[in-house]
Amino acid sequence: MSARADAPLVERIARAHADLRPRLRGGPAWQARRDAALSRLLQRGLPDRRDENWKYLDWPEVLAREFAPVTAATAEAPTPAGLELPGACRIVTVDGRYSPALSDRSLPAGVSVEELGAALDREPELAARLRVPGEDADDRFALLAEAFTDAGALVRIAANADVQAPIHLLHIATGAAASHARLVVEAGTNSRARILEQFLGGGDGALSNLAVEVTVGAGAQLVHMRLHEQPAGAAHVETLSVTQAADSRYRQQSFILGGRVLRSGLRLELAGRGAECEVEGLFMVEGIRQADIYTVIDHLAPHTRTVETFRGVASDRGRGSFNGRIVVHEGAVKADSQQSSRNLILTPLAEINARPQLEILTDDVKCSHGTTIGSLDPQQLFYLLSRGIDPAVARGLLTFAFCEDVVARIPWPEARRHVEELVVGRLPDRDIIREFV
Amino acid sequence: MPQKGELILDVRDLHAKVAGKQILNGLTLQVRAGEVHAIMGPNGSGKSTLAGVLAGRGEYEVVSGSVTYLGQDLLALPAEERARAGVFLAFQYPVEIPGVNNVYLLKAALNALRKHRGQPEVDAFEFLGLVREKMKLMQMDESFLNRGVNEGFSGGEKKRNEVLQMTVLEPVLALLDETDSGLDIDALKVVSTGVNSLRGEGRAIVMVTHYQRLLDYIVPDQVHVLAGGRILKSGGKDLALELERRGYDWVRQEAAAA
């Protein structure tokens, strides 16, 4: 164990891959992609803390984890309950692998789900269509996922489908070893759907690595809520890639409320004219937990719009970072981009780093960004105290209210209440606050 | 509850600073149960500082002097304990707290008072009845119940909300910090009705104001002129009318001559 942990990372990866290769499933198209990904990965290695976009990640904690993936034999699936959303269609993945047995049999009209490998075998053109992770460091974990996995889920929303039922993707990690997985979501032209991804499970030694690829077709509307509530020992790295066609609407809400180390990277391309996105998020880090949020939003076409809102709360020795870049490319005239990052540090040893970056490469755009890092507003605090409210309760209420800003916008009441519970559970005076909210 | 005529507030030779600057310079004031006091004075005279010091605002530093409230040292109590003991400040600029529900805060505040007095928590049904009744008095729409504290309220709505809280919490000592500022005449009447509903033998009200107009609706027993951090002159309600007519300079000159 110790020998492996000390060996250079690429050697560990190469060795793990050699062990696994005979057991990896999938046809030649899938195999060819995996091999290509592995050789690029071995050439370039994973990023490290010298890389600007990875410098806040708790690398020792990540590198101490097992990189060799869970094999089918170890993937015994205990099934955590997950959120009960009325009328939802539930799709379960276990260590990244789509589990038809645990998933709902009947899907709403216009929705199809299948194992990514099976789809690739059947539709060779899908392999050509799927994104190939890029060369830069941002994409290196996506490359790792591509090299290692024959697991993944493909969710398709048919063109013009108006899916009312929430699509609940429950990702369950079984713990122990690593998992590398892919999720592909294709929202067809003029479709409408709402997806909730929920992450549960994952033990102290586990590393889950997920690459998510979302394409939002022309005129499509997709709501994508993501809820991380892994146990406090889990490590999770994810690379999201979202591409939006003309006049599409994409709203992402991510709640990063779990995991020992959680790295979430997003690259979103507003590729078609008139595409609009809202990216909202909340991270809370208490104890020794860490959250590392990195987002890049590219305005590539005229009349594109972004509203990005992130909130962060750190207490104890928790550490969080928000590194958000918005690039308005040449030709993206009349782009409208607003970014806000507000952060609360509740205790002296907690830490938050916020790095908003705005690059404007064209004229005639409207852009704004704002970042704050601070403690609770003393005026608000005094107002509550002057009404006889206990100081610990007042601080808790104000912190909760700070988070509510994002939480209140969750589209399903059951999910909202669930997240509120999680938020309260991460407040310093959680026991006192609980009766109040 | 104090008896009529009992000393509720006894401020003696109070000196206080804000950000290193001396604002109160030997202020002395006695307020008894059943009385309504108006404290008037030009800008910067220390009116809001007095209200803030009494309510326990953190940024004020008391240099010397004493404040006794119902026989106890008020300055030794943190803000939340002053509130629980029956001191209420209606803010000049009530802060907005999105995400903290307005009616929820009111209930928590009432329960904090009740707990302090050894009473059980208020019954939810009874509480709602009480709040609805007081909202009617304050001519507030019920939609205010479910909004965040002062969130998106106009200036006048915020002031009504302050007085609504006051009528529900029924303080022993109500401090009104320029509650009339920014109100049109109709809102002023409503706010005054709320304040007058609290007048009673066991309570006292101290209003800080710029304008005599408020005193047409809430008639004070005593009027004090505060300037340079001290009370220069005290009198009955006619003093307010005289100030309205003659301004503050003559009071300053009179005090300087004496």
Side-chain angles (χ1 to χ4, degrees), chain A residues 9 12 46 57-67 141 207 235-237 261-263 290:
Chain A
L9 191 57
R12 278 172 67 192
L46 288 176
L57 187 69
D58 187 344
W59 280 103
E61 187 61 35
V62 171
L63 297 180
R65 309 251 162 176
E66 182 64 75
F67 274 69
F141 273 89
L207 170 71
H236 178 81
V237 178
V261 180
L262 208 144
R263 157 81 181 199
Q290 194 213 7

Side-chain angles (χ1 to χ4, degrees), chain A residues 135-406:
Chain A
E135 294 297 313
D136 56 336
D138 297 357
D139 247 355
R140 229 56 73 69
F141 273 89
L143 213 50
L144 181 68
E146 169 128 333
F148 266 91
T149 193
D150 57 354
L154 169 64
V155 178
R156 284 198 261 213
I157 319 293
N160 302 311
D162 185 354
V163 183
Q164 294 296 319
I167 301 168
H168 183 185
L169 275 161
L170 185 56
H171 298 287
I172 297 168
T174 58
S179 69
H180 302 279
R182 299 186 61 158
L183 167 68
V184 178
V185 176
E186 294 186 336
T189 307
N190 293 323
S191 63
R192 280 182 186 217
R194 297 179 301 178
I195 294 175
L196 163 65
E197 276 186 89
Q198 186 182 17
F199 296 82
L200 295 171
D204 284 354
L207 170 71
S208 52
N209 176 32
L210 178 69
V212 181
E213 182 177 341
V214 179
T215 50
V216 190
Q221 297 185 20
L222 184 66
V223 173
H224 189 185
M225 178 181 158
R226 314 189 71 246
L227 176 52
H228 288 283
E229 48 178 305
Q230 293 95 332
H236 178 81
V237 178
E238 60 183 24
T239 312
L240 280 84
S241 165
V242 178
T243 309
Q244 288 187 245
D247 298 317
S248 61
R249 304 282 177 273
Y250 174 73
R251 177 143 84 92
Q252 184 187 99
Q253 285 195 305
S254 52
F255 296 92
I256 295 177
L257 304 171
R260 165 67 183 80
V261 180
L262 208 144
R263 157 81 181 199
S264 182
L266 165 70
R267 175 153 220 138
L268 188 149
E269 292 189 339
L270 294 161
R273 186 187 176 92
E276 298 184 0
C277 71
E278 282 180 84
V279 177
E280 303 176 338
L282 167 69
F283 67 81
M284 293 180 85
V285 283
E286 79 293 345
I288 53 164
R289 295 185 39 238
Q290 194 213 7
D292 181 20
I293 318 292
Y294 172 65
T295 71
V296 182
I297 298 173
D298 286 300
H299 287 256
L300 297 168
H303 295 276
T304 43
R305 185 160 178 264
T306 295
V307 180
E308 184 177 34
T309 311
F310 257 88
R311 299 280 178 273
V313 179
S315 57
D316 306 327
R317 286 172 181 270
R319 286 191 299 137
S321 56
F322 170 76
N323 183 353
R325 211 169 113 212
I326 294 179
V327 187
V328 181
H329 291 262
E330 224 173 298
V333 292
K334 304 279 185 197
D336 181 342
S337 201
Q338 301 165 35
Q339 184 191 57
S340 131
S341 156
R342 285 176 54 204
N343 302 282
L344 269 185
I345 297 181
L346 298 177
T347 51
L349 295 177
E351 181 185 321
I352 291 184
N353 290 286
R355 260 179 90 200
Q357 303 169 66
L358 193 53
E359 279 172 55
I360 303 173
L361 307 173
T362 189
D363 296 330
D364 196 14
V365 297
K366 207 167 92 189
C367 292
S368 68
H369 64 143
T371 298
T372 59
I373 298 183
S375 42
L376 295 169
D377 179 349
Q379 302 298 330
Q380 293 183 334
L381 200 55
F382 177 65
Y383 190 87
L384 296 180
L385 298 180
S386 79
R387 298 304 180 244
I389 307 297
D390 184 80
V393 173
R395 284 194 296 271
L397 284 176
L398 292 177
T399 309
F400 183 79
F402 177 84
C403 300
E404 262 298 279
D405 222 13
V406 179

Side-chain angles (χ1 to χ4, degrees), chain B residues 129-203:
Chain B
L130 172 70
V131 173
R132 290 220 164 96
E133 176 202 321
K134 302 297 187 189
M135 287 184 87
K136 206 174 280 175
L137 179 73
M138 297 312 298
Q139 298 184 14
M140 286 169 79
D141 190 273
E142 285 207 9
S143 65
F144 284 95
L145 282 175
N146 295 315
R147 285 163 69 176
V149 174
N150 295 317
E151 185 181 5
F153 289 20
S154 72
E157 286 164 351
K158 285 179 183 169
K159 297 297 176 76
R160 280 184 206 213
N161 197 40
E162 292 294 288
V163 178
L164 171 75
Q165 292 179 0
M166 201 168 101
T167 59
V168 170
L169 300 176
E170 301 186 316
V172 173
L173 175 63
L175 306 166
L176 280 72
D177 189 3
E178 306 217 10
T179 297
D180 52 333
S181 68
L183 292 184
D184 62 31
I185 196 75
D186 292 327
L188 184 66
K189 282 181 186 167
V190 172
V191 161
S192 302
T193 305
V195 175
N196 283 327
S197 76
L198 269 183
R199 288 184 90 135
E201 294 192 346
R203 294 177 217 293

